Amino acid sequence: MNLLRLNNFKVAYGGIKAVKGVSLSVDFGEVVALIGSNGAGKTSLLKAICGLVDYQGQIEFKGENINKLRCDQLAKLGLSMVPEGRGVFTRLTVEENLLMGAFLVNDKKDIAKNKENMFRMFPRLEERRAQIAGTLSGGEQQMLAIGRSLMGRPDLLLLDEPSMGLAPLMVEKIFEVINQISSSKVTILLVEQNAKLALEYASRGYVMNNGEITLEGPSGILLNDSSVRKAYLGE
Amino acid sequence: MDIFLQQVINGLVLGSVYALVALGYTMVYGILGLINFAHGEVVMVGAMVFLTAVSVLGGGPLVLSNSTIIVFAVLTAIFVCSILAFFIERIAYRPLRNAPRLAPLITAIGMSILLQNIAMMIWGRQYRTFPELFQIESYTFAGANVTNVQLFIVGISIAIMASLLAVIHLTKVGRAMRATAESPQIASLMGVNVNTVISLTFIIGAGLAAIAGVLVSANYSIAHYSMGFILGLKAFTAAVLGGIGNLTGAMVGGILLGLIESIGAGYIGDLTGGFMGSHYQDVFAFLVLIIVLVFRPTGIMGERVADRS
Ligand SMILES: Nc1ncnc2c1ncn2[C@@H]1O[C@H](COP(=O)(O)OP(=O)(O)OP(=O)(O)O)[C@@H](O)[C@H]1O
Ligand SMILES: [Mg+2]
C-alpha cells in the first residue's frame, strides 16, 4: 500500500501555475528522490502536501483522503517536513527547537529519550543545546531542523534540499543521517538539487520540470538516463 | 515634601499599569503584526464590569466580606474581558488575516469606537466613582507619600508580569507562543494549532487588561466609558518605547513612560515658568512616542519593527 499518493495534484499562486497535475506515490519504508531544476515546483509540491499552500487534486496519506486537513492535523497523522532553508526557530534555543518538534508527544519520558537519541546522532547539538538557534552555522541548523522533525516520530519525512549551501563534508554527514533515519523505518521523500547523491541514496526517483513530472523510475535507471545525465549531472 | 521622590512613586504606580496594558499590545503584535487598537477598550470594560460586579455582589442577598467581593469582581472582569477579546479576534481580525495591513488596522480603530459606544449605552455617560472597598492608608516615606493602594498596584503588577514571563519562557504553551510569533507556518508544521495560539494570546492580553482596568480606576477612584482610549494610546506608546513585539520591552517601556510622565508633570510648571500646569501630563507620552518613532523606531529592546511593518 502507498503511504502517500498524489493524483492530478495542482498548485497555483494566483495566475502562476507552479505544479500542473502531478501524480506520485511513496511506499512505506522507501526513500524517494524528487529532482528538478530551479523553479520546477518541488518546494510548492512539498508545501502543498503539508497543507501550507492551497492545492487542487487528490491526496491520500496512509490510505486516507487528507484533502482539506490543516497543517497541524497532518502533523498529528505522522507527516513532517524539514523546510527549504531549514526554518529553525532562530530565537529559540537548540533544546527548545527540539522540544517544539515533540509538541504533539505527551509522554515526557519518551521526549527525553528521543532527545538523547538526537544528541547521539548530532553531538554538535548537545554541545550547543542552550545556544540560540539563530546563531548556529548553516550545517548545524540543518541538523537541528532534521532532529526537530524526528522528535515528533514521523512516519513520512519530507526533506526540502537538505544539502543546500553546505560544504561537501557536511553534505556527506547529512546523507549519512538520511540513511540512518531511513533504516529506522521512516519513509522519506527527498527533494534535492544534488541529483546524483539523492539518486544514490534513494530507491526510486521522480524528475520534475516546469510543474510536471517528466520522468520517473528506479534510481539506477534514472542515473543512467541520458536526459537526466545531461540536465542534472552536468554531462 | 520631596517632589522628585513623590513623582517617582507616582510614576512607578502609573507605569505598572501601562506595562500591564502594553503587554497586550506587544503580544498580539508579536504574533499577528497587528496593532489591536481596541485593546484600550478592553481595559475600560474590565473596570466597568468590576464596578458592576461589586455593586451586584455588594447589594445582593448574600453578606460577603469586602475581600470576597473584590476577588469575585476581579475574576468576573477577567472572564468577561477574555471572552470579549476572543470574539474581537474571531469576528474583526481573523477574517482579515491575509488582507493588506491597512484593513485590520482600520477595523481595529472601528472596533475601538464601537466598544466605546456600546459601553456608553450600558454604563452611561457619567463618571462612575469607585466604591471604598477598603480603608486607604497613607504612609510617609523619606518625605513622600505612598498609599496601600499604590503599594498593592505595584506589587500585584510585578507578580503578574513575573508569572507571565515564567509562562512564556518555561512552559510548553509559552514555547509554542514564541515559536508561533517567529513563524506561524513552521509552528503549524510542528502540530501547533495557530488559531488556538492566537486566541490564547488575545485572552491572556485581555486578562492583563482587565486587571489593569481595575487597578487604574482604583488608583483614580473613577471610571468612564472613554477611559480606555488615552490609556490605550499611552500603553501602545510604552510598547513602542520598549520595542514592540518584545515582552520585557513592554514592561520596561511601561515603567519608563510612567516615570517620564510623572516626573515631567511634576516639573513642567517650573520648566515653563508656570505657563503649563501638570494637566499637560499627556503631552509627555506623545512626545516620547514621536521621539522614539523618529530616532529609534525599534524601541529600546526591539529588533524587528522594520521587517514587519
Ligand atoms: N508564494 C509564491 N507566490 C508566487 N509564486 C510563487 C510562490 N512560491 C513559488 N512561486 C513560483 O512557483 C514556481 C515554483 O517554485 P518552487 O519554489 O516550488 O520551485 P522549486 O522547484 O522548489 O525551486 P528551487 O529548486 O529553486 O527551490 C516558481 O516559478 C516560483 O516563482
Ligand atoms: Mg525549492
Side-chain angles (χ1 to χ4, degrees), chain A residues 36-71:
Chain A
S37 50
N38 291 118
K42 306 176 298 292
T43 298
S44 303
L45 184 65
L46 290 200
K47 280 187 172 173
I49 292 172
C50 292
L52 284 178
V53 297
D54 289 339
Y55 58 84
Q56 287 186 313
Q58 285 121 31
I59 175 165
E60 279 176 15
F61 184 58
K62 298 182 180 173
E64 230 181 286
N65 181 350
I66 56 165
N67 258 343
K68 302 209 171 67
L69 286 193
R70 283 193 320 264
C71 201

Side-chain angles (χ1 to χ4, degrees), chain A residues 50 52 70-72 75 81 83 87-92 96 99-106 148, chain B residues 169 172 175-176 178-183 185-195 303-304 308:
Chain A
C50 292
L52 284 178
R70 283 193 320 264
C71 201
D72 55 297
M81 172 162 82
V88 299
F89 297 110
T90 56
R91 287 189 293 242
L92 271 55
E96 285 176 329
L99 292 174
M100 277 310 298
F103 184 78
L104 294 171
V105 184
N106 288 318
R148 181 181 64 180
Chain B
H169 287 283
K172 179 171 171 178
R175 193 158 59 227
R178 281 182 291 138
T180 308
E182 181 167 340
S183 168
Q185 291 208 339
I186 309 273
S188 70
L189 280 177
M190 309 289 117
V192 175
N193 184 334
V194 172
N195 282 333
E303 344 113 46
R304 54 188 180 98
R308 303 203 61 161

